[in-house]
Each structure stands twice: as C-alpha cells, then as structure tokens.
Amino acid sequence: MNTTTTRNIEVAARVREALDAEGYKAVQVAEKIGVSKGQMSRLLSGKSAIKFDHLIKLGRILGMDPRRFLGLSPTTNDVLMTVPEAADMANRHPQTIRAAIYSGDLPSEQTGPGGWHQIRESDLKAWIAGVR
C-alpha cells in the first residue's frame, strides 16, 4: 500500500469516528459537503482522497478543527506566510498555491481588498497532508 492510500485511509477513519461520535450518518452529511452518496462512501472508505475544502465543511458541521482529521494539532501561535513563502515550504509553484487559495482548498487571509494573501502555517501543513 502506498503512502497516499495509507493517508487516505487514516483521514477517512478519523472522519468516520467523528461522524459516529456525533451521531451523523454519511448520507446526511454527503449533501452538506457537496458530494454524492456514492462519493461519500468512497471518501469514508479511503478509496478516494477527501479534499481539504470537504474537511473544512465537515469541521464546521461537527464543530471541530478540520486539521484534526489530518492528525494535526491546531495551534494558536500560527505563523502567517506569503504565497512565495508557502510555495517554498510546500515545494510547489506559487501559482499552485494561488490556485488552491482561489478554489477554496487552502484558506488564506487578505491584507485588504486586492491585497496580499497570507497563509497560516498550520493551514498550509494541513493542505500539504491532504494533497494527493
């Protein structure tokens, strides 16, 4: 089994555990996160990777930090990084980081309307862990 498959299974297990603890059924949550019942089944079995934006939605539904699904501990002393700094840390092109921000896969804060994007280190690490 490769690393990506193992990671998918581990994340799926954490999500299933959190859903079970709160008494949610997969079919109840599928529509809320924007996937079909079949896709939800594949996500919860680890056969498909759960996107970070789905983890964010699940976190909102369950009232928990989505980084916990990835086995990361949320921190309060997060470092804010620019897109180039995040790209360097993630070993990705800056345009890949921007695309993840614009698609909603990678949370960021803007310094103002049309301003620079700043990415929390913990969000970047969570995004890296969730990327295929």
Side-chain angles (χ1 to χ4, degrees):
M1 199 176 304
N2 68 36
T3 306
T4 302
T5 304
T6 302
R7 185 178 305 133
N8 291 348
I9 292 170
E10 290 170 354
V11 171
R14 288 186 197 101
V15 170
R16 280 193 318 270
E17 182 180 318
L19 290 172
D20 289 345
E22 294 297 320
Y24 282 99
K25 301 280 185 204
V27 294
Q28 295 171 305
V29 178
E31 187 177 324
K32 291 180 181 185
I33 68 166
V35 299
S36 69
K37 293 174 189 174
Q39 180 65 17
M40 189 68 179
S41 175
R42 289 186 294 279
L43 295 173
L44 293 178
S45 69
K47 292 179 182 174
S48 293
I50 302 175
K51 293 182 181 179
F52 191 59
D53 66 319
H54 291 146
L55 294 178
I56 291 170
K57 291 175 186 176
L58 285 165
R60 285 184 189 137
I61 292 166
L62 298 169
M64 63 187 292
D65 191 304
R67 292 174 281 218
R68 293 198 184 278
F69 299 127
L70 298 169
L72 302 172
S73 298
T75 61
T76 54
N77 298 330
D78 261 342
V79 174
L80 289 173
M81 296 181 281
T82 63
V83 169
E85 291 169 337
D88 187 50
M89 181 178 181
N91 200 24
R92 304 280 197 288
H93 192 279
Q95 194 55 38
T96 303
I97 300 298
R98 285 186 193 91
I101 290 169
Y102 298 145
S103 70
D105 289 341
L106 178 60
S108 74
E109 300 171 13
Q110 271 187 293
T111 56
W116 295 75
H117 285 275
Q118 297 179 321
I119 300 110
R120 293 190 180 283
E121 183 178 6
S122 61
D123 287 333
L124 181 65
K125 287 180 179 179
W127 179 77
I128 292 168
V131 171
R132 294 189 227 190

